[in-house]
Amino acid sequence: QIHLAESGGDSVQAGGSLTLSCVYSQGTGRMTWFRQVPGREREAVASINRSIRTGTTYYADSVKGRFTISQDVDKNTVYLQMNSLKPEDTAMYICAARKYGVSYREIEWKEQWTYHAWGQGTEVTVSS
């Protein structure tokens, strides 16, 4: 069973930066950062195919050019570097992972049902 643990959430001013970390317990396939705001649908933010060192990445349009997802396979960690933060980035950021060897169509990187493990989340608050 895959276990995920997020960290790095904090309160920052608009325009600031944060780096979130997601440590995974065992080999995984694609990993994706989602974010959740109370009363709104969970949104896929950034994704990486972790099963290869130069994994394919995808980003939501709302974060392209500001957020970067990366991995350190030696540390079993996936990162989300967030720059130029905006108040609308305020959310609980949740890490999700697919089992290694399980694949779906690339277009389905945003689909929650394709992920087999979820973390507890880390809170990000951006004030104006």
Side-chain angles (χ1 to χ4, degrees):
Q1 187 176 359
I2 300 169
H3 294 283
L4 305 173
E6 305 97 329
S7 63
D10 205 345
S11 296
V12 297
Q13 294 283 324
S17 298
L18 279 175
T19 299
L20 306 183
S21 300
C22 177
V23 179
Y24 49 89
S25 62
Q26 62 188 69
T28 67
R30 179 166 292 283
M31 291 184 67
T32 296
W33 284 97
F34 288 80
R35 63 186 180 187
Q36 177 85 63
V37 175
R40 294 177 61 180
E41 201 166 321
R42 186 173 291 181
E43 174 190 19
V45 174
S47 183
I48 187 167
N49 184 355
R50 208 214 54 76
S51 55
I52 55 177
R53 284 189 178 266
T54 56
T56 309
T57 58
Y58 297 104
Y59 297 93
D61 289 342
S62 57
V63 306
K64 276 181 184 175
R66 300 189 299 120
F67 290 12
T68 302
I69 190 168
S70 63
Q71 63 173 328
D72 186 330
V73 295
D74 296 324
K75 294 183 178 179
N76 280 19
T77 303
V78 169
Y79 302 99
L80 184 66
Q81 173 68 44
M82 306 187 295
N83 298 326
S84 302
L85 282 162
K86 304 175 181 180
E88 51 263 43
D89 294 319
T90 295
M92 176 73 77
Y93 284 73
I94 306 163
C95 181
R98 292 174 181 168
K99 292 178 182 177
Y100 182 82
V102 177
S103 62
Y104 297 88
R105 296 180 300 166
E106 291 299 291
I107 196 173
E108 291 173 326
W109 73 270
K110 296 182 179 181
E111 301 297 333
Q112 297 179 51
W113 63 269
T114 67
Y115 293 89
H116 308 104
W118 295 83
Q120 294 298 310
T122 186
E123 190 76 43
V124 172
T125 302
V126 184
S127 56
S128 57

